[in-house]
Structure formats: structure tokens, C-alpha cells
Amino acid sequence: MDRLHAMEVFVRVVESGSFSAAARDLQIGQPNVSKLIAALEEHLQVRLLIRSTRQLHPTEAGLAFYERARRTLAEADEAETAARGLGKGLDGRLRVSAPVTFARLHVIPRIGGFLDAHPNLRVDFVLDDRFVDLMGENVDVALRGGELSDSSLTARKLATCERLVVASPAYLARMGTPSTPGDLLEHTALVYTQGLIAEEWRFRRESGNTSVCVPTRLSFSAAEGVREAVIAGLGLAISSRWVMQPELDDGRVVPVLTDWKLPHADLWALFPSGRLPTAKARAFVSWFEEIFSKT
């Protein structure tokens, strides 16, 4: 039995919650997963998993073994990278989670340079505006904007950007341009439900802070929907410059209430909690931070 491979399979089974999901992630047959777990339990002379028709849970011994096994795998990855030399390239698979619009505008057009530097590396993008379960979906690193709601994650701040209230010129010509936050009560707001800024918009300036509960008829779970609705003239929205920069540049969208400031948007690199970031994940973050700082 390849003990390191058996550890990898066991860790993936625990994190994915099933033999079949682990088999798909590792691209091996499910019978092989079952055999490896059985061989590992026989080798250790202890039961690691409790199986039922619908659920799978680690035993107390299995949970203790899982914690040590994932640290061992991370250290083995580090050892291989050190021996190979990072400059000679990485290999294997890297799973990156990112919001759809941000990835479309800022990551995917540039990823070719990263792939050229590591020709033996495969990158799988998990594009979703929701906060995915990094452990459950076997994600190595996630790019996320806004405030962090899960303090248990290992996080690294990469950049900060201003948020703006934006609208199309056609909408403003039809409905008028708000001059104070209170004027928003006479407008239609387009709300992005994934962020902490939803229907209560908070503003500040030297004279004081204020908040407005904006009226809305349209809400979206993805920033792409907000962008398209703003461009179509359906209302006003809060957006970071990262998401709306092309439209701000060409005039399809304009900022309003520029005398007032909104909470900034932070960009974070998130790593699964409880384990060391892989060398591949760290290399990706370092590369992206460098190229993104030049935009």
C-alpha cells in the first residue's frame, strides 16, 4: 500500500463526505477508493470511518488521523516543491474559486501567463458568486471581495477598491439624478444579494454618516445580473470599480452621489482552514497579486 496515496484518498473522502465524490475528485474508480480505505484501516488496526446507507462520518480515531494526514500531505507537497525548485514549474491540479464577473474581467484574460510559467499545471476554475465550501469542494484558493463573514478561514488581503453608486445615462435622463442619499427613496435600486451591502446603503462624509433603506424591485445573486440591469437602465446599484470599470470608462455607466463615500471593497485570497496553503495556491496568489497591482 502506498501510504501517502492512501492518506490522500482518506482525506478526500472525509472532506467530500463520500467515496463516490472522492473518486470523482481524484479521478480514480470508486472500488479503488473502498479498497484503499479498507487497506488503511487494516494497516492501522483501527476503524476510521462509520458508514451508513446515506452518511459517512470519521470515528474519533479517524478524525485524529485526518488532522495529521492532511498536515503530512501539505508538508510532502512543500518538500517536493523545495526539491524541484519553484522556478522549474508546478504540476498537478489547482482548484480556484472566484466570482463570475471578477474572474471574467480580471483573472481569465491573464491566466495564460500563469499557465505558460507552469506548463504541467492544470487549473480548474469554480466560478460562483456564492461563498463555496472550500473544504467540501476541494478548493485550494478562493478570490473573494467584500467583508469576511467566516473568521476561521486563512485570509490574505490583496487589494482595496472604492464602491460607487452607478446608473446609466438613460436611466438618469428618465428619472433624474439624486443629489443626496435621501433622494434614493424616489429611485429604483438594483440589489446584489451576495454582499453585506444589500437594501441598506450606508454613506459617509465629513459632515456625518447616513443610511438609506432603498426601494428595490430587482435583486440578483450574481454581479453579472446587476451589471446588465444597470446598463439596461433599470435602476441604480452599488458596485466596485473592479466590476464596472469597462462601463465607467466608455460612459455606458456613470457614478452619482460622488460627494458621499461608501464602504470600500476589499479583495481577499482565502485558503481552506486547518491546513497549510499548498505551494500551487501560494504561487497563484503571488502571481495574481503582482499582475493585479498593475491594473
Side-chain angles (χ1 to χ4, degrees), residues 164 166 240-241 244-255:
L164 305 166
V166 295
S240 70
R241 280 194 177 274
M244 282 290 190
Q245 194 63 59
E247 290 74 27
L248 289 166
D249 288 343
D250 64 23
R252 283 184 292 166
V253 165
V254 296

Side-chain angles (χ1 to χ4, degrees), residues 7-73:
M7 283 183 184
E8 181 184 19
V9 171
F10 174 73
V11 165
R12 194 65 216 116
V13 167
V14 172
E15 292 178 350
S16 65
S18 72
F19 286 2
S20 58
R24 287 194 302 271
D25 286 343
L26 296 170
Q27 298 182 340
I28 61 177
Q30 184 174 335
N32 289 338
V33 172
S34 300
K35 289 178 183 178
L36 278 168
I37 297 301
L40 188 59
E41 289 181 324
E42 183 178 354
H43 172 73
L44 296 172
Q45 292 294 294
V46 66
R47 189 168 188 180
L48 298 173
L49 297 170
I50 299 173
R51 309 166 186 74
S52 67
T53 55
R54 292 187 178 181
Q55 293 182 317
L56 181 152
H57 298 289
T59 63
E60 184 178 354
L63 189 58
F65 182 73
Y66 163 76
E67 296 293 343
R68 288 165 175 78
R70 66 181 184 181
R71 287 199 296 267
T72 298
L73 292 169

Side-chain angles (χ1 to χ4, degrees), residues 6-211:
M7 283 183 184
E8 181 184 19
V9 171
F10 174 73
V11 165
R12 194 65 216 116
V13 167
V14 172
E15 292 178 350
S16 65
S18 72
F19 286 2
S20 58
R24 287 194 302 271
D25 286 343
L26 296 170
Q27 298 182 340
I28 61 177
Q30 184 174 335
N32 289 338
V33 172
S34 300
K35 289 178 183 178
L36 278 168
I37 297 301
L40 188 59
E41 289 181 324
E42 183 178 354
H43 172 73
L44 296 172
Q45 292 294 294
V46 66
R47 189 168 188 180
L48 298 173
L49 297 170
I50 299 173
R51 309 166 186 74
S52 67
T53 55
R54 292 187 178 181
Q55 293 182 317
L56 181 152
H57 298 289
T59 63
E60 184 178 354
L63 189 58
F65 182 73
Y66 163 76
E67 296 293 343
R68 288 165 175 78
R70 66 181 184 181
R71 287 199 296 267
T72 298
L73 292 169
E75 290 170 0
D77 184 60
E78 292 293 316
E80 288 183 5
T81 299
R84 186 189 307 117
L86 189 59
K88 296 181 180 178
L90 302 168
D91 57 20
R93 182 177 67 167
L94 172 71
R95 280 174 65 82
V96 179
S97 172
V100 178
T101 302
F102 184 85
R104 179 176 67 80
L105 293 174
H106 302 290
V107 185
I108 296 171
R110 299 176 171 92
I111 194 63
F114 185 70
L115 295 176
D116 289 343
H118 307 286
N120 296 319
L121 184 65
R122 167 183 167 178
V123 179
D124 292 350
F125 278 106
V126 181
L127 299 184
D128 200 318
D129 281 25
R130 67 188 175 91
F131 279 73
V132 302
D133 179 355
L134 303 190
M135 295 285 284
E137 299 196 28
N138 199 25
V139 170
D140 296 291
V141 60
L143 298 176
R144 288 292 154 194
E147 299 178 43
L148 298 184
S149 57
D150 186 350
S151 60
S152 69
L153 292 171
T154 302
R156 174 176 163 187
K157 186 188 289 188
L158 302 181
T160 298
C161 177
E162 69 174 330
R163 284 190 175 105
L164 305 166
V165 179
V166 295
S168 72
Y171 173 85
L172 297 175
R174 186 173 74 252
M175 300 298 297
T177 301
S179 58
T180 69
D183 292 343
L184 294 172
L185 296 174
E186 305 301 321
H187 288 264
T188 298
L190 308 170
V191 171
Y192 178 54
T193 58
Q194 296 290 350
L196 295 181
I197 295 177
E199 289 158 352
E200 182 183 7
W201 293 4
R202 303 188 305 273
F203 297 86
R204 62 177 173 81
R205 65 177 182 179
E206 291 183 1
S207 60
N209 300 336
T210 188
S211 64

